[in-house]
Amino acid sequence: MPEGHSVHRIANQFTRHFVGKRCEVSSPQGRFAAGARELDGKRMVAARAVGKQMFLEFEGDLFLRVHLGLYGAWDFAGVISSAEALSEDGDGEESLSSIGAPRLARYRMAEQERAADPIEAFPPDPVGQVRVRILTEDTVADLRGPTACVVEDPAGVQKALDKLGPDPINDDGPEAEKTFVENVRKRRVAIGQLLMDQAVVSGIGNIYRAELLFRQRIDPYKPGNELTVKQAKALWHDWSELLHAGVRDGLMLTMDGLSKADHAKAVRSRKDRHWVYHREGEPCRVCGTEIRMADMAGRKLYWCPKDQK
């Protein structure tokens, strides 16, 4: 499932290439035909992400709300030109870096970002089950497999936002910090579960959950109301740091203090990017204890039983 940094990067892509332009909106798959008709021909005026949800605003006070869920992805194609472009790492995973001149490019943005062969003609034919196609004169975005894809009015958008915890990309000030600390410390629920609750904090998924708790040396099974204010504040500030870095770099690189060589290795290879995530049975990078894995709220949890007491 895409985590918060991915959704913010997708929103940034819409801001660069679609905001301010009149859009042809269609549903090649047919499942969103009625919604597409409401948006077709309107100008996109803003693109915003909050946690794992994205809100594309169109003139006339209409919004397209999208939650990618486990399998959703956006495919972009056309004249792509920005300060960010795709460069491949050693795993075939890609992140955005310098692109240079505009070109007829194509790439997918979801949990990972992957380039495809450049297109030869524009617009390319829809491929697969495209729920929504948003087309301008030089760029197209195709949405596949979302959990939610809904046209909302401002009241509907506010209702969705009211269900979400703070997102440090949108606000990392003292009030957002206070809300997070209160959301955590009022619950007798394991902190490992609370961090995945989008009503507590927006954008954290399985990778960031495991890594944040290790970085702060917090037992994932510790109830939220047993965390100190200092611990809760440290989690919030660390989440802000990791999220901003993820949006900037397009990678969930959660290890710090790396040498230049180790940093380059981590950029090339996902297995070298994390302290504990997906490392069950391997030695902890700090103490050598075997990393454990268990199920928590239907998702795999990774932690070091020695360092996280």
Side-chain angles (χ1 to χ4, degrees), residues 191-192 195 208-222 231 235 275-277 284 286-287 289-292 301-309:
I191 185 61
L195 291 182
Y208 281 130
R209 182 257 301 269
E211 295 297 295
L212 280 165
L213 290 172
F214 179 82
R215 285 163 61 97
Q216 297 305 316
R217 303 300 193 265
I218 296 174
D219 180 350
Y221 290 93
K222 188 172 186 175
Q231 285 177 313
L235 277 173
W275 292 105
V276 294
Y277 178 75
C284 174
V286 174
C287 71
T289 302
E290 185 175 293
I291 298 299
R292 292 184 183 175
L301 168 72
Y302 303 87
W303 82 104
C304 173
K306 180 177 179 180
D307 288 325
Q308 293 174 260
K309 291 183 178 180

Side-chain angles (χ1 to χ4, degrees), residues 5-245:
H5 78 291
S6 297
V7 185
H8 278 286
R9 287 172 64 81
I10 293 168
N12 290 344
Q13 194 74 342
F14 275 104
T15 297
R16 282 192 295 267
H17 296 297
F18 291 83
V19 168
K21 298 181 181 180
R22 197 164 300 280
C23 301
E24 294 181 22
V25 184
S26 61
S27 180
Q29 178 193 59
R31 291 181 58 186
F32 189 69
R37 284 193 294 271
E38 290 187 73
L39 302 176
D40 186 38
K42 298 189 182 311
R43 192 180 306 277
M44 188 181 295
V45 297
R48 179 189 183 194
V50 181
K52 299 180 182 181
Q53 299 210 44
M54 186 173 67
F55 303 85
L56 301 178
E57 182 179 357
F58 292 82
E59 57 188 357
D61 280 339
L62 292 175
F63 297 78
L64 177 61
R65 177 173 66 86
V66 174
H67 190 310
L68 292 177
L70 286 172
Y71 306 110
W74 283 98
D75 286 346
F76 291 89
V79 178
I80 306 296
S81 176
S82 72
E84 298 176 304
L86 292 163
S87 61
E88 188 170 328
D89 67 19
D91 290 324
E93 180 179 346
E94 285 149 313
S95 56
L96 295 177
S97 55
S98 178
I99 187 170
R103 63 193 178 108
L104 287 176
R106 187 201 321 250
Y107 60 89
R108 170 167 292 195
M109 298 185 75
E111 182 177 5
Q112 300 173 18
E113 301 174 15
R114 296 183 177 277
D117 292 335
I119 60 176
E120 297 181 359
F122 182 84
D125 292 332
V127 177
Q129 298 297 308
V130 176
R131 184 79 56 87
V132 180
R133 165 166 278 207
I134 303 177
L135 176 68
T136 72
E137 61 184 10
D138 56 11
T139 310
V140 63
D142 287 342
L143 174 64
R144 296 180 179 80
T147 293
C149 177
V150 184
V151 175
E152 303 274 20
D153 60 13
V157 169
Q158 190 58 52
K159 184 177 179 180
L161 292 174
D162 288 343
K163 296 178 181 179
L164 299 176
D167 178 331
I169 290 292
N170 298 316
D171 181 7
D172 63 356
E175 286 302 314
E177 176 193 68
K178 180 181 177 183
T179 298
F180 171 78
V181 171
E182 291 177 348
N183 285 348
V184 165
R185 297 190 73 243
K186 69 184 180 182
R187 302 277 297 276
R188 288 190 59 83
V189 177
I191 185 61
Q193 186 171 335
L194 288 175
L195 291 182
M196 298 280 280
D197 185 343
Q198 299 303 296
V200 172
V201 57
S202 288
I204 296 177
N206 215 28
I207 299 177
Y208 281 130
R209 182 257 301 269
E211 295 297 295
L212 280 165
L213 290 172
F214 179 82
R215 285 163 61 97
Q216 297 305 316
R217 303 300 193 265
I218 296 174
D219 180 350
Y221 290 93
K222 188 172 186 175
N225 65 345
E226 293 184 12
L227 266 67
T228 65
V229 171
K230 182 178 180 180
Q231 285 177 313
K233 286 184 175 182
L235 277 173
W236 170 253
H237 288 289
D238 204 21
W239 170 226
S240 179
E241 180 180 329
L242 288 179
L243 180 57
H244 278 87

